[in-house]
Amino acid sequence: MTVESPKEAPVKFPSPLVRELRGARHVAVLTGAGISAESGIPTFRDAMTGLWAKFRPEDLATPEAFRRDPRRVWEWYEWRRELVARARPNPGHLALVELARRVPRMDLFTQNVDGLHQRAGSRDVLELHGNITRDRCFDNDHPADPGSRSEETPPRCRRCGSFMRPDVVWFGERLPERELEAAWESAARCDLFLSVGTSGAVQPVASLVDLARHGGATVVIVNPDASVFSARDRIVLQGPSGRILPALLAETWPERRSSP
Ligand code: BJW
């Protein structure tokens, strides 16, 4: 079933979804760039506004690109860091903080590197692709010296002299083991899996939704773009997450408006 959400009309959800969410013991949530779009952070693959509308990923988000032109890659990330620093969590991020209070167990794993879930108040967020606000060195993964950056662009590691780079996962790099294992375990065991604002184009994270389906979870997809929905998806909520998620919570727990 598909729920479409025209811009201003109130969103109505199928009652089986509301019942399943209300009764869920373990909810797993996967987020992608779309959840931060309403905070003003461009997604990667949206045709006109996406971060890669002007650049090819292999020119910027690979170790080879960094080796080829470290200054160019570093400056792209510095520009994005400024966007992130100015951004604020939106109602979609805040709804997930609230959802975690409503269900016995909720695991939140994100592909985003912007830290907006944590700034909204979510705890124990599993960052599968790292965090753009941190640096580590290219050759040895030494963390950045909290004191000061060296003057060069990119700055140099104080310990080994190699270039610093953002602490994110580029194409061809391994995802952090602890986070990936936890996400795998959660997707396989949850009873409801919520996928929010991701195109599902990037592995291995894209496989989590299949894992959840095979494990018997109810899979719910939230995205304004119908092309990401698969025929296997029983419940799709078409619209921006900053609108859909708060409305879903309000309908599932109507009593929460009057609770302190
Ligand atoms: C809204 C909205 C609104 C808009 N509300 N929604 C198997 C098959 C084929 C290839 C591979 C494979 N396994 C691995 C690969 C290779 C590769 C890969 O997946 N390639 C594909 C392109 C085919 N994967 C890797 O290389 C990964 N590493 C790996 O597998 O290592 C193995 C290994 C083993 C042993 C030794 C060494 C290695 C690493 C992947 C790293 C991805 N990194 C990036 C960059 C991070 C740093 C940075 O930020 O710069 O992560 S790429 C980029 O894509 C970023 C994102 O996290 C990721 C996913 O994108 P996301 O979040 O889905 O964004 P979009 O833009 O695609 O979609 C946004 C969605 O939001 C859209 O659908 C909109 O409609 C929607 N939206 N507004 C809700 N308001």
Side-chain angles (χ1 to χ4, degrees):
M1 73 188 73
T2 302
V3 171
E4 283 181 55
S5 150
K7 234 186 163 102
E8 295 311 330
V11 194
K12 277 300 280 175
F13 298 96
S15 45
L17 167 61
V18 170
R19 260 198 317 276
E20 284 182 55
L21 183 56
R22 202 175 163 103
R25 310 288 312 158
H26 177 185
V27 177
V29 183
L30 167 67
T31 63
I35 196 165
S36 296
E38 289 155 88
S39 295
I41 302 182
T43 63
F44 289 89
R45 295 174 183 82
D46 281 315
M48 298 307 290
T49 54
L51 282 168
W52 290 334
K54 297 192 198 102
F55 310 103
R56 291 183 316 151
E58 56 273 31
D59 289 339
L60 293 163
T62 64
E64 293 73 29
F66 188 77
R67 268 192 209 97
R68 211 166 35 238
D69 195 342
R71 172 183 278 268
R72 180 167 191 245
V73 173
W74 180 263
E75 284 176 346
W76 187 61
Y77 279 94
E78 286 291 271
W79 169 71
R80 288 178 51 204
R81 282 171 167 152
E82 282 169 27
L83 282 182
V84 165
R86 281 202 302 271
R88 298 283 169 269
N90 68 55
H93 296 106
L94 295 171
L96 294 179
V97 179
E98 174 71 17
L99 179 58
R101 294 194 189 114
R102 296 280 157 185
V103 294
R105 174 175 170 187
M106 185 185 113
D107 302 324
L108 174 56
F109 20 99
T110 186
Q111 297 167 90
N112 298 347
V113 298
D114 56 32
L116 285 179
H117 285 303
Q118 294 89 330
R119 283 166 59 193
S122 286
R123 297 202 190 148
D124 303 322
V125 181
L126 295 165
E127 294 182 315
L128 296 166
H129 289 164
N131 189 304
I132 198 171
T133 62
R134 292 189 305 258
D135 295 335
R136 62 185 154 94
C137 83
F138 188 74
D139 286 352
N140 297 303
D141 293 338
H142 293 138
D145 185 338
S148 63
R149 278 179 176 175
S150 73
E151 289 297 309
E152 298 112 297
T153 306
R156 296 271 182 184
C157 175
R158 300 267 186 214
R159 284 170 67 186
C160 69
S162 81
F163 283 131
M164 299 306 288
R165 54 161 286 179
D167 189 8
V168 298
V169 181
W170 284 330
F171 285 112
E173 293 185 322
R174 228 183 256 277
L175 276 69
E177 207 165 318
R178 181 189 71 85
E179 284 79 355
L180 188 58
E181 265 175 28
W184 229 250
E185 188 266 345
S186 178
R189 291 166 186 260
C190 66
D191 39 33
L192 194 142
F193 185 94
L194 191 56
S195 167
V196 183
T198 177
S199 60
V202 174
Q203 294 292 351
V205 173
S207 299
L208 288 168
V209 63
D210 290 323
L211 195 65
R213 280 190 195 104
H214 290 138
T218 299
V219 170
V220 181
I221 312 278
V222 180
N223 200 305
D225 177 4
S227 73
V228 307
F229 307 143
S230 122
R232 290 163 301 177
D233 295 323
R234 202 162 57 82
I235 304 175
V236 295
L237 307 178
Q238 188 176 359
S241 46
R243 183 164 142 70
I244 296 280
L245 293 176
L248 177 61
L249 261 78
E251 190 157 328
T252 307
W253 289 280
E255 68 278 16
R256 85 193 168 111
R257 287 197 198 89
S258 51
S259 66

